[in-house]
Amino acid sequence: MLVLIFVGLAVGVTTVLFGFGGGFVTVPIILLIDAARGPDALRIAVATSALVMLVNAVIATSATRRSVLAHLRGRRTLFSLLALGGAAGAVGALFVPDVVPRWGFVIYIGITVVDLLLRPGFFPGRGPVRRPKESSDRALPDGWGIPIGGLASFLGVGGSVMTVPMMRRSGMDMGVATSLANPLTIAIAAPAMVVALVFGRGIASAPGLIGTVDVASALALLAGAIPVIVLLRRRPPKISNAVHSWAYLALLVVAAIAVAIA
């Protein structure tokens, strides 16, 4: 539990700085913690990640400036479709062999890393400079809601691996894009968590689990993450777009390696 609390510190940092909500840290660490549960370990990791991401994203969003959240004003359709996709992806994750979401996680991150490196618009100075949009309409069309939500909840991530690059390429700063990833994560993680708690019963049954959620591990991670989120939201660090973008990419690579070897 003490190790998980310290890992929670890293979860808090990724929530604030990268909009991950903790998914890219939570999935690998829960896989290691619950490895003895065999094929159910990944389902437990994905479900536990949904709970951790939901709580962290709610706290981070509540502390985000209203001027930043205004970019998502009027996007009810997008949020509804993200939630629908989140529920569908969570249901799918309960019934497929564990190898599918595990290697899907690794492969998808690998594709994303290559895309960020080769396609212009994510890193400063690599591609045309665009003026920041006043809303997310063009950056995140409503039609992307279901695929983003479905893939994110199926793999146990918050969707920021898709939404942040899309918003960056629309001209938003990394700070704004990663901040907006948190409210979008809420829409995905909330239905995914409900599916894991309610329909996960009988899929993975063991002491310490509610549905497929490892509650004790989730609480330990949150105990470390929440104070960090509150602190960093009150005193956000000043990071250049270039450093922020490369750190985002590096974290994706580390997460993929961790899941591949877990």
Side-chain angles (χ1 to χ4, degrees):
M1 291 299 104
L2 185 60
V3 171
L4 284 173
I5 291 174
F6 279 106
V7 171
L9 301 178
V11 170
V13 172
T14 63
T15 299
V16 175
L17 297 187
F18 304 106
F20 287 160
F24 286 102
V25 179
T26 302
V27 170
I29 194 64
I30 297 298
L31 266 176
L32 293 173
I33 294 294
D34 288 303
R37 301 184 191 267
D40 289 329
L42 187 63
R43 295 186 183 90
I44 293 168
V46 169
T48 304
S49 173
L51 175 57
V52 172
M53 286 190 297
L54 176 61
V55 176
N56 287 342
V58 167
I59 294 171
T61 299
S62 66
T64 299
R65 298 192 311 273
R66 295 296 174 262
S67 59
V68 173
L69 294 177
H71 287 276
L72 293 173
R73 187 174 295 148
R75 302 305 309 276
R76 292 186 180 86
T77 301
L78 174 63
F79 279 97
S80 298
L81 293 177
L82 285 170
L84 182 60
V91 171
L94 291 175
F95 300 104
V96 298
D98 70 299
V99 68
V100 176
R102 177 192 293 266
W103 288 105
F105 185 105
V106 175
I107 292 169
Y108 184 75
I109 294 180
I111 292 172
T112 300
V113 168
V114 172
D115 176 69
L116 296 181
L117 289 172
L118 297 183
R119 198 153 61 99
F122 183 77
F123 294 103
R126 300 182 63 182
V129 178
R130 301 180 182 179
R131 295 180 61 188
K133 307 302 179 190
E134 293 302 321
S135 71
S136 62
D137 288 20
R138 292 181 62 184
L140 295 171
D142 292 341
W144 280 95
I146 289 179
I148 289 174
L151 187 59
S153 63
F154 184 78
L155 301 178
V157 299
S160 63
V161 70
M162 288 166 272
T163 60
V164 170
M166 292 173 74
M167 287 186 283
R168 278 289 291 139
R169 290 187 171 112
S170 77
M172 290 183 183
D173 288 339
M174 274 294 289
V176 174
T178 53
S179 294
L180 293 180
N182 284 307
L184 296 172
T185 291
I186 295 173
I188 298 169
M193 186 193 68
V194 171
V195 168
L197 291 174
V198 176
F199 299 101
R201 299 178 185 277
I203 300 295
S205 180
L209 297 182
I210 297 180
T212 50
V213 176
D214 184 340
V215 178
S217 294
L219 291 176
L221 288 167
L222 290 170
I226 291 174
V228 174
I229 294 172
V230 173
L231 176 63
L232 291 181
R233 278 301 187 208
R234 288 180 177 176
R235 298 182 178 180
K238 295 182 179 179
I239 306 175
S240 69
N241 267 327
V243 171
H244 208 162
S245 299
W246 282 106
Y248 181 97
L249 180 74
L251 186 58
L252 291 182
V253 173
V254 170
I257 293 172
V259 170
I261 66 177

